Amino acid sequence: MKIMEAKKAYLAVILIQSIYAGMFLLSKAAFDLGMNTFVFVFYRQAASAVFLIPLAAAFEWKNAPPLSFVTLCKIFFLSLFGITFSLNIYGVALIYTSASLAAATTNCIPIITFFIAFLFGMEMVRLRTSSGIAKVAGLAICLVGVTTIAFYRGPTLKLLVHHHLLGSYHNTMQHHDQVASNSHTTWIKGCFLMLMANIFWGLWLVLQVPVIKSYPSKLVLTALQCLFSAIQSFLIAIALERDPNQWRLEWNVRLLAVVYCGVVVTGVTFYLQAWVIEKKGPVFLALSQPLAFAFTIFSSAFLLGETISLGSVLGAMVLVGGLYSVLWGKNREHKVEDGICLTSKTPAEIECSGSNSKEAIVEATKTVPVCIMV
C-alpha cells in the first residue's frame, strides 16, 4: 500500500512540474506571437475566477466563516501586491528573456520566501548549527546563481530543428523582438524583472499566513484573490493597451495559453499539490521543483526554437544547489524540533519554541499550489 502511494506521489509531482513547464512555454509563445502581457494576465485571472468561484460556492461557501470588511481589504491588497504586480512584471520579464529562464528562477521562490519570513520574524537562523549554516549558504548560492544567469551567457546550443510546433512566428512580425531579446542589456533587465516578480511572490506567500489564520477557507480565499486580481489586472491593461485587436481572442496559441494557465494550471495543480503535501509533505514537493526547469529547457528548444546558453544552465544548477541547501537545513531543523517535542513529558514541554515558526512556513508552503497558477 505504501509503495503504491509512493508511486502515485512521484507520478503526481512529475505531472505537476510538466504542467508548469507547459505554462512557461505557452505564455512565452503567446507573448512572442504578439499578445500584450497585461491583457494576457487579465484574461488568465478572469479564467481562474470563472473556474474557481463556482467551486468555492459549491464546496466551501456554506461552511466558510463570515467575511469582515477588514479581511476583505486584506485580501484585496494581498491580491494587488502578490498576484497582480507579480504576474504583470513576470510577463514583461518573459518577453525579455526565455521560458527556460522563467522555469530556472522559480527555484528562487522557496529561498526568497524563507528570507522574507526571516525578516518578518517567522523564521530563525542559528548560525552555530549545521542547519543554520546550510540556510545561509543556500541564500548565498542563490545569489551566485542569479548573478550567473544575468551576466554570463557563454556559448549557446541551438538544436538542428527548423520547424517548431509553437515557433512559426519566428520568421514573422516578431523578428524585431527576437533580435532585441538577444541583446545583453535587455537580457539583464529581464533577469532582474524576473527576480522582482519572484520577490513579490515570496512576499505574497509570507503575508498570506496571517490572512489564512483569520480566514481559513482556502478555496474561497483563492477564488476571491483571483476575482480581485482580475479586476486589478483589467484596470492596468485598459490603461496601458487601447488597441481593440490586442483584446481579441481567436482559436490560436493566445486562447490556448489563457485557458491552460487560467483553468488547467489552477485547477489540476491546486488539487495535485494539496494531495502531495498531505501524503508526502511540503519538502518532497519543493524537491521536485527543478523538474520544471528540466522539462522546460528541452521543450523550449524543440517547440519554440529557443537557444540554450551555457550561463543559463550553469546558473540554474547553482540555483538548484541553493534550494536544496536551504531545504536540507529546514528539514534538519524540523527533525530536531520533532525530536524535542517527542521527548517532552508535560503538555507545556510539548509546545516547542520552534512550533509557531514551523506552522507558519508549512502554512505558507501549503499555499504554493495557489501561488503559481492563480
Side-chain angles (χ1 to χ4, degrees):
M1 195 69 176
K2 289 184 178 180
I3 296 176
M4 286 297 297
E5 278 195 0
K7 289 182 178 179
K8 289 179 180 179
Y10 284 114
L11 290 175
V13 295
I14 291 173
L15 181 57
I16 289 168
Q17 301 305 337
S18 63
I19 289 174
Y20 285 155
M23 179 188 69
F24 298 131
L25 293 171
L26 287 175
S27 300
K28 178 64 174 175
F31 296 157
D32 285 347
L33 195 59
M35 187 172 191
N36 183 275
T37 59
F38 305 109
V39 174
F40 172 80
V41 172
F42 159 66
Y43 279 131
R44 170 182 174 171
Q45 293 307 101
S48 300
V50 169
F51 178 76
L52 285 175
I53 287 174
L55 293 178
F59 294 106
E60 276 195 5
W61 185 254
K62 291 183 180 179
N63 299 322
L67 190 63
S68 65
F69 178 74
V70 175
T71 303
L72 199 64
C73 289
K74 289 180 180 179
I75 296 173
F76 178 85
F77 286 107
L78 193 64
S79 304
L80 178 64
F81 291 103
I83 301 177
T84 304
F85 286 173
S86 180
L87 286 181
N88 279 283
I89 295 172
Y90 162 82
V92 177
L94 194 56
I95 290 180
Y96 292 154
T97 55
S98 65
S100 56
L101 175 75
T105 55
T106 56
N107 294 302
C108 288
I109 293 177
I111 301 172
I112 291 171
T113 304
F114 161 76
F115 182 70
I116 296 174
F118 171 75
L119 294 179
F120 278 84
M122 295 180 179
E123 261 290 350
M124 295 180 63
V125 176
R126 301 177 179 90
L127 293 177
R128 295 183 179 180
T129 63
S130 58
S131 59
I133 294 172
K135 288 179 180 180
V136 175
L139 292 173
I141 293 170
C142 177
L143 290 175
V144 173
V146 172
T147 305
T148 302
I149 291 175
F151 294 103
Y152 176 67
R153 299 294 298 275
T156 58
L157 170 65
K158 187 175 178 65
L159 298 180
L160 298 176
V161 180
H162 301 288
H163 301 284
H164 308 288
L165 183 62
L166 300 175
S168 60
Y169 51 85
H170 278 272
N171 296 320
T172 59
M173 60 182 178
Q174 292 303 312
H175 178 70
H176 179 270
D177 289 340
Q178 285 293 321
V179 173
S181 66
N182 290 329
S183 70
H184 189 62
T185 304
T186 304
W187 178 268
I188 293 174
K189 186 191 300 182
C191 290
F192 281 98
L193 284 174
M194 194 71 73
L195 181 61
M196 187 183 301
N198 289 335
I199 290 173
F200 272 113
W201 215 255
L203 183 64
W204 176 75
L205 284 172
V206 173
L207 294 180
Q208 200 170 187
V209 173
V211 177
I212 290 177
K213 286 184 178 179
S214 61
Y215 195 79
S217 298
K218 293 184 179 64
L219 190 56
V220 176
L221 176 64
T222 305
L224 287 174
Q225 289 187 80
C226 288
L227 177 61
F228 284 143
S229 180
I231 297 171
Q232 294 157 0
S233 299
F234 173 75
L235 295 176
I236 293 174
I238 200 66
L240 298 176
E241 182 55 67
R242 301 296 180 89
D243 184 3
N245 293 325
Q246 286 290 343
W247 292 82
R248 187 179 301 147
L249 288 177
E250 300 175 353
W251 294 98
N252 53 21
V253 175
R254 297 186 185 190
L255 180 61
L256 177 62
V258 167
V259 174
Y260 184 89
C261 295
V263 178
V264 178
V265 179
T266 301
V268 176
T269 56
F270 179 85
Y271 173 78
L272 286 177
Q273 288 184 121
W275 183 84
V276 171
I277 288 174
E278 181 183 2
K279 296 296 183 181
K280 303 290 288 184
V283 174
F284 179 80
L285 180 62
L287 288 173
S288 70
Q289 202 161 327
L291 286 176
F293 171 70
F295 294 150
T296 304
I297 194 170
F298 290 108
S299 300
S300 62
F302 283 101
L303 300 181
L304 300 180
E306 288 185 350
T307 57
I308 304 170
S309 67
L310 178 63
S312 296
V313 176
L314 291 178
M317 292 174 64
V318 174
L319 284 176
V320 171
L323 169 66
Y324 283 172
S325 179
V326 173
L327 289 175
W328 183 87
K330 279 297 302 174
N331 193 39
R332 184 172 179 82
E333 264 190 3
H334 288 171
K335 287 181 179 180
V336 171
E337 289 171 358
D338 291 343
I340 294 173
C341 289
L342 290 173
T343 55
S344 301
K345 296 182 179 180
T346 65
E349 290 174 331
I350 293 176
E351 295 181 0
C352 301
S353 58
S355 61
N356 291 335
S357 171
K358 180 181 177 181
E359 289 176 3
I361 298 302
V362 170
E363 286 297 327
T365 312
K366 286 183 179 179
T367 61
V368 171
V370 192
C371 76
I372 294 182
M373 71 303 233
V374 293

